[in-house]
Amino acid sequence: MKIAIGCDHGGFDHKNAIAEHLKKRGFELIDFGIYENKSVDYPDIAVKVANSVANGECTLGILVCGTGIGMSLAANKVKGIRAAACSEHFSAKYTRLHNNSNILCLGGRVIGVGTALELVDLFVDTPFEGGRHQVRIDKISKIEES
Ligand code: RB5
């Protein structure tokens, strides 16, 4: 599985730690930056990761900003993206099981690196349950078309 990753200055250290961790686990990564810790506008990174997931280049994406919220708002503007800002384990797991979320957004100023790595593992290791949840996701897609 190939994973797209990106951050702004609020999530720089977390993004690098997550990239290291995923590489060690054997995942192929595309790192959309930032590559040095300077102030940037989070939508500029969110759209790169979101496009990479939406066009099938990557299967899942991870975005980190200060809260995870700005990245999720921006990424969710891209058709086909279901980005979830999570700061605890239950949500990171169930947003895969029930929402088939394809981007996990984390807050570098909200959670520590240790929690971030655990949430990333849960997110990438949990499959979508399908069934009645697919019906609901189809309804989200219909909203996108309307
Ligand atoms: C940047 O200061 C901060 O606003 C950004 O990282 C993010 O938290 C936005 O949602």
Side-chain angles (χ1 to χ4, degrees):
M1 184 196 298
K2 204 189 270 188
I3 298 176
I5 190 162
C7 69
D8 74 355
H9 50 287
F12 186 70
D13 292 337
H14 283 56
K15 186 267 286 178
N16 289 336
I18 292 164
E20 254 336 281
H21 176 71
L22 287 173
K23 272 189 226 157
K24 271 192 201 143
R25 283 199 53 191
F27 289 101
E28 208 181 324
L29 287 188
I30 302 182
D31 185 344
F32 288 94
I34 51 179
Y35 310 111
E36 56 181 288
N37 200 354
K38 59 172 191 193
S39 181
V40 293
D41 299 330
Y42 57 82
D44 296 340
I45 305 296
V47 73
K48 291 180 186 173
V49 168
N51 282 335
S52 173
V53 173
N55 70 26
E57 180 181 40
C58 287
T59 308
L60 294 176
I62 312 280
L63 283 164
V64 195
C65 63
T67 59
I69 296 171
M71 286 295 197
S72 67
L73 293 176
N76 277 316
K77 295 296 179 193
V78 175
K79 192 176 169 186
I81 292 304
R82 292 175 299 281
C86 298
S87 54
E88 35 68 36
H89 296 68
F90 189 88
S91 299
K93 179 177 175 181
Y94 275 81
T95 202
R96 287 286 309 128
L97 281 173
H98 287 188
N99 311 129
N100 199 14
S101 282
N102 46 19
I103 297 186
L104 175 68
C105 301
L106 300 170
R109 296 171 183 157
V110 180
I111 57 172
V113 169
T115 299
L117 298 184
E118 289 195 3
L119 300 191
V120 165
D121 281 343
L122 265 178
F123 188 77
V124 301
D125 291 339
T126 303
F128 175 48
E129 233 173 50
R132 69 188 188 281
H133 303 295
Q134 184 59 55
V135 174
R136 294 160 186 169
I137 285 158
D138 290 345
K139 290 191 177 190
I140 295 176
S141 303
K142 268 198 174 168
I143 297 170
E144 269 179 344
E145 301 300 337
S146 67

